[in-house]
Amino acid sequence: MELCVNSKKEESFENPISVELVKTKSEMFFSNGYLPDWFLIEVLSRLPVKCVFRYKSVSKRWRFLISATSFASLYISRASLLTPWTILANTLCVNMKIGSFLAQSFLPDLVSDNWLHSRFSMVHFPNMVGSSEVGEGCNVVGVSDGLVLYDCGVGEEVSDYHIYNAMTGCCVAIPRTCTRFDDVSTGFITKSEGGSLTSYKVVRLDCQFGESYVLKFEVFSSETGRWRRVVVYMDVAIEVVWLRRPVALNGKLHWIDRRHGILVFNPFDDFNQCHVIGLPGDIDEQCIDARNNGRSVLFDVHQGRLRYVEASVVSVYPFGFSGISVWVLDEYDSSSWTLQHKVKIKDISFDDILISKALNGIIPTPIAFHPLDANIFYLGFGDTIVSYNMKTLKLDALVDPADIRGTFQRNGRGSLRKTPCWSSAFLFTLPPWPISLPIKKRNSR
């Protein structure tokens, strides 16, 4: 191996005092065209992540360099903070002709070409052998570290989970569940280090009808590869708002309870305990009662903190709601909330396309926060996806209603119901470096 560097420097000897400093010109070449490892790493770490993963197939040496934990750490340290993201619909439609599941994505797409609409596209998922038949669908039930957990089970009693990496195409199946629950709320939580997935949990909560002092969980652990049953006895009666998915933060899962606040469960410990974080005292409790079931609220993690959004269902003629409020939890494990934003309906301005919907008494459904701009979050408003800006106090239509496809979902009794495709959508953000699944992939694309 030979590294040669030729330096050329222009100098004037007529007047040494007036010599101009000229940038050194360097030429670098390697003997026999061999590129040393350090040079390859420097070049590869500056390329888009999709290109990097394609170059794994160049040679065994390139694959070894790219797969190293040190390379992943270097790439993450140099990655831009503006990571790709989108809002992903919760229902996957099976299309056997294409040979994949299709998921609706409402904002700039991050894993496939956007060919339907400037703000609407399809994300391709692998077709698993033995899963749903043509015409049926699968539900996205969780996202974490750029991984998608979806359920191909028939109805909610039996679950058939798969984890998919949208960047690498790797897909793995999780063993079938052992327990039948009438209505299930599923949580997905991961732990990773250096670009590798160290462990993950899938948690199923039995959402019983009415209040109960006994909570029944089923937890799958990647370490053991098995499901285990967990029963937790509470001092207060719990009734989970099952329409809203659980939120992962600090290695724990959080559900909204109708009366007491936020139910917290840690699937990584063996204490089999839960505790409750109280909700803000001035919320509209009608939003999470049995009739509305959380349709007009959003509880999620935004920029590392728990936030709670509601579109109050108290109607103000001729509108169907009275305003929008946003709270932020001051400190984790406390019940102290700060009201970040509150606006009355009369102060909200509407995009022209939304005026008729507002006057028809439609109540907006909060969907997700903008991952970078703390002033913006997204809502479903009738058949339209809209954004709300807390600075301008305006609702803007983002997606043409003609492009949005409603979906049929099964309820707990096995019957189908028509729902908007954004009814339980997810903010889907890709990490700077794709998280590798420590399991042999099966039927990947």
Side-chain angles (χ1 to χ4, degrees):
M1 183 186 302
E2 183 178 325
L3 171 62
C4 298
V5 180
N6 295 333
S7 298
K8 299 179 181 179
K9 186 174 182 180
E10 298 179 3
E11 298 179 324
S12 174
F13 296 98
E14 294 180 359
N15 187 356
I17 299 177
S18 63
V19 171
E20 294 183 1
L21 296 178
V22 180
K23 183 179 180 180
T24 301
K25 298 179 180 179
S26 300
E27 294 179 0
M28 181 179 296
F29 60 92
F30 306 100
S31 65
N32 301 323
Y34 182 85
L35 301 178
D37 289 351
W38 69 264
F39 183 82
L40 277 175
I41 291 173
E42 284 296 319
V43 173
L44 291 171
S45 64
R46 287 167 168 80
L47 297 177
V49 68
K50 285 187 177 181
C51 295
V52 175
F53 266 75
R54 282 200 295 266
Y55 292 152
K56 274 189 171 184
S57 60
V58 171
S59 67
K60 291 183 178 179
R61 177 182 170 223
W62 284 42
R63 174 182 286 274
F64 175 79
L65 290 176
I66 295 172
S67 302
T69 302
S70 58
F71 181 81
S73 300
L74 175 64
Y75 194 95
I76 293 172
S77 68
R78 293 179 172 178
S80 170
L81 295 177
L82 301 177
T83 54
W85 62 277
T86 189
I87 292 180
L88 186 67
N90 69 313
T91 298
L92 304 176
C93 301
V94 179
N95 188 330
M96 295 299 289
K97 293 181 180 179
I98 298 178
S100 64
F101 296 134
L102 299 177
Q104 299 187 56
S105 175
F106 301 128
L107 295 177
D109 186 28
L110 48 80
V111 292
S112 64
D113 295 331
N114 196 335
W115 53 272
L116 289 179
H117 190 273
S118 59
R119 292 185 179 274
F120 179 86
S121 59
M122 292 292 187
V123 179
H124 291 264
F125 284 75
N127 182 27
M128 301 300 296
V129 176
S131 59
S132 300
E133 298 178 356
V134 177
E136 293 189 356
C138 298
N139 291 328
V140 176
V141 294
V143 291
S144 181
D145 278 334
L147 303 175
V148 179
L149 175 71
Y150 62 92
D151 180 14
C152 297
V154 180
E156 296 181 350
E157 294 184 1
V158 179
S159 297
D160 185 12
Y161 296 113
H162 298 78
I163 298 177
Y164 178 62
N165 189 320
M167 295 179 70
T168 64
C170 180
C171 185
V172 298
I174 294 177
R176 289 288 186 92
T177 57
C178 304
T179 308
R180 290 178 176 267
F181 294 147
D182 291 336
D183 289 291
V184 178
S185 177
T186 304
F188 180 43
I189 189 168
T190 60
K191 288 185 177 180
S192 60
E193 183 178 351
S196 296
L197 186 65
T198 57
S199 64
Y200 66 85
K201 305 284 186 181
V202 178
V203 179
R204 303 173 73 233
L205 170 61
D206 181 16
C207 297
Q208 304 177 39
F209 180 78
E211 297 179 334
S212 177
Y213 289 89
V214 181
L215 302 179
K216 299 178 181 179
F217 296 90
E218 190 176 27
V219 180
F220 177 81
S221 172
S222 59
E223 291 95 336
T224 63
R226 297 178 180 178
W227 291 91
R228 68 182 179 95
R229 299 177 184 178
V230 176
V231 178
V232 179
Y233 298 92
M234 301 293 297
D235 295 330
V236 295
I238 298 296
E239 186 177 3
V240 168
V241 179
W242 57 266
L243 184 65
R244 285 303 182 185
R245 65 182 178 88
V247 174
L249 178 65
N250 296 338
K252 303 173 184 177
L253 290 169
H254 309 73
W255 286 265
I256 301 177
D257 173 65
R258 296 196 194 283
R259 294 169 180 82
H260 305 289
I262 308 302
L263 177 70
V264 183
F265 174 68
N266 186 350
F268 288 97
D269 66 31
D270 297 325
F271 294 108
N272 298 340
Q273 295 178 351
C274 293
H275 69 275
V276 175
I277 298 175
L279 282 172
D282 50 346
I283 64 172
D284 180 1
E285 295 182 357
Q286 295 181 77
C287 293
I288 55 177
D289 63 15
R291 178 180 178 182
N292 295 291
N293 201 30
R295 287 182 175 86
S296 61
V297 304
L298 170 65
F299 170 65
D300 209 344
V301 176
H302 183 240
Q303 298 181 348
R305 300 176 68 185
L306 292 175
R307 281 173 166 81
Y308 185 88
V309 180
E310 72 172 19
S312 177
V313 296
V314 177
S315 60
V316 175
Y317 183 83
F319 304 101
F321 66 107
S322 59
I324 297 175
S325 301
V326 182
W327 291 266
V328 181
L329 185 64
D330 293 333
E331 294 182 5
Y332 190 77
D333 285 333
S334 74
S335 296
S336 176
W337 297 78
T338 296
L339 182 63
Q340 179 185 7
H341 178 77
K342 187 170 186 176
V343 60
K344 295 181 179 180
I345 186 67
K346 65 181 181 62
D347 297 320
I348 298 176
S349 58
F350 294 83
D351 192 345
D352 291 342
I353 195 174
L354 304 176
I355 293 178
S356 61
K357 302 179 189 300
L359 297 179
N360 285 335
I362 294 177
I363 302 174
T365 299
I367 298 175
F369 294 101
H370 191 292
L372 305 175
D373 192 332
N375 293 305
I376 296 176
F377 56 89
Y378 299 95
L379 308 97
F381 199 44
D383 54 358
T384 307
I385 305 297
V386 305
S387 67
Y388 175 71
N389 191 314
M390 289 187 281
K391 279 190 174 181
T392 63
L393 309 182
K394 186 178 181 182
L395 287 167
D396 290 300
L398 296 180
V399 179
D400 187 341
D403 286 336
I404 300 178
R405 305 176 184 181
T407 59
F408 286 97
Q409 298 180 6
R410 295 185 182 275
N411 59 23
R413 299 178 181 178
S415 60
L416 293 173
R417 63 180 184 273
K418 182 76 171 181
T419 62
C421 53
W422 47 257
S423 62
S424 184
F426 295 81
L427 174 66
F428 185 33
T429 303
L430 289 181
W433 184 256
I435 303 298
S436 60
L437 291 168
I439 308 174
K440 183 179 179 181
K441 64 182 180 181
R442 170 188 172 192
N443 296 330
S444 61
R445 290 180 67 245

